[in-house]
Amino acid sequence: MRFAEARTHDATSGGHAEEHADACAVVRRAVEAFDREDWATLRDLLHPQVRFHPLRAIGRFVVGRSRALESMCTLRQTEMTITLASLDVLEDGRILALGSVQRGPDSHPFAAIHEVRNGKIVEARHYFSDAELLQELGIVRRAATGVSSEEGR
């Protein structure tokens, strides 16, 4: 797996450069551990009450390190690997990971937003469509669906 050097937007503003670099390193290590099936390292990088959103499109998420690892193991059993292209720091400090997901001969764009606190991933949201990602970043408004925005988050 090849990793591009992490890019950070304004990572040095406000004296948080080290915090952002550390958060990017946590996300990078988690992706590497996933691809190696290094579940012990991944477990160490996840907060005990992590919120993991592997299938954002259908609103499914799991809470807790054990359940998140089970979901990740299931995804990895499909021979899914992630090629990370970049890591960017969003204005609110969350980490945006961009790359591609490979399953067999098929490759698809991939984006995930990670919240990292005290060296642990506390939330990971995965996006497999541009529309979902643009909505999460606040660039595009969500359509009114009659469903609370907190449902399925």
Side-chain angles (χ1 to χ4, degrees):
M1 174 187 310
R2 294 182 312 268
F3 288 92
E5 190 158 328
R7 296 186 319 253
T8 57
H9 294 298
D10 236 3
T12 57
S13 67
H16 298 289
E18 187 174 312
E19 176 186 337
H20 293 308
D22 289 347
C24 286
V26 167
V27 172
R28 182 182 305 278
R29 287 182 56 214
V31 172
E32 291 170 341
F34 175 84
D35 280 346
R36 285 192 319 267
E37 298 183 47
D38 181 353
W39 308 121
T41 295
L42 202 45
R43 179 178 181 76
D44 289 343
L45 295 171
L46 298 176
H47 186 274
Q49 293 302 312
V50 64
R51 287 176 57 106
F52 180 66
H53 304 254
L55 300 171
R56 177 82 171 116
I58 60 171
R60 179 176 168 227
F61 69 91
V62 297
V63 176
R65 189 173 11 209
S66 294
R67 294 190 68 208
L69 284 168
E70 287 173 18
S71 291
M72 290 178 200
C73 286
T74 300
L75 289 171
R76 192 63 186 91
Q77 288 171 359
T78 66
E79 298 185 14
M80 180 175 113
T81 58
I82 299 170
T83 300
L84 191 61
S86 69
L87 294 171
D88 294 296
V89 179
L90 302 174
E91 288 180 9
D92 62 5
R94 293 180 300 164
I95 308 301
L96 172 63
L98 298 173
S100 63
V101 170
Q102 185 83 28
R103 275 197 181 125
D106 298 325
S107 181
H108 305 282
F110 166 81
I113 296 177
H114 298 82
E115 184 177 344
V116 178
R117 278 190 239 131
N118 300 319
K120 303 284 185 189
I121 297 171
V122 297
E123 185 162 24
R125 293 176 179 266
H126 297 82
Y127 301 90
F128 295 95
S129 83
D130 293 340
E132 287 180 331
L133 181 60
L134 292 173
Q135 288 172 349
E136 180 67 23
L137 295 174
I139 297 169
V140 175
R141 260 186 338 140
R142 283 186 168 85
T145 61
V147 177
S148 164
S149 64
E150 289 303 308
E151 289 181 36
R153 283 190 125 205

